[in-house]
Amino acid sequence: MSQIIAPYITTWSAEQEIPSRVVERPGYGVGYADELLGDRDAHGVLWQRPAVRHEAGRPEFGKVHPLRQRRAMRKLLCQVCAGPANQNDDGVLWLLRDFQGDWPNWPEGMACTEPPVCVPCVAISLRLCPALRRGAVAVRVRASEVAGVRGALYRRGVFGPVAAQDVNLAYDDPSIRWVVASALIRELRGCTLVPLTELTEQYDAVQAR
């Protein structure tokens, strides 16, 4: 594996959002004044317009690139190296912050914006990600339907639409017409927690061959 400087989904300093004027589309919701065909996904939802200059400048850790996150979630790619996420009979592998106290059987039913991972990148993530060092859980997920988006919800304003709040919305929610999306959501179902030591030992065994 090549040296990983920053996760695939990380935004780099040269990838600033392209200035775009958000306008109301009467009877539809929001759009861009100079909207292009690629600005919406297959469900008709409007997306942020970041520049795409991967590895140009410096990585902005903690800031996720919307288009790379969307690609990794759609194709179930590892969020760190962009290779295929690990998958076995128990499901696709996710590495998440530990919020087991949030509800019984967490993360069952969770609306997740974090793409999955491969086994080699588990150790890298645990070592380099400050958030995961505060507590991490590996999860096998049998079903992860693409369910909606996270983004800025707009409201009508005096001079045009105004961003009101960040929200998670399902694709069948009528309010999604007023969202500029920044992340794709998968709903995690059929979740099984996996000991982190099992994954690190599995990786070490492969490396030792």
Side-chain angles (χ1 to χ4, degrees), residues 171-183:
Y171 272 120
D172 59 3
D173 189 319
S175 297
I176 205 166
R177 300 177 303 160
W178 287 84
V179 165
V180 177
S182 58

Side-chain angles (χ1 to χ4, degrees), residues 136-178:
V137 176
V139 185
R140 291 283 182 187
V141 180
R142 290 184 180 274
S144 58
E145 178 183 0
V146 173
V149 300
R150 178 166 182 79
L153 179 65
Y154 280 71
R155 305 289 188 194
R156 287 190 177 95
V158 175
F159 300 106
V162 177
Q165 59 183 321
D166 289 331
V167 295
N168 291 348
L169 289 180
Y171 272 120
D172 59 3
D173 189 319
S175 297
I176 205 166
R177 300 177 303 160
W178 287 84

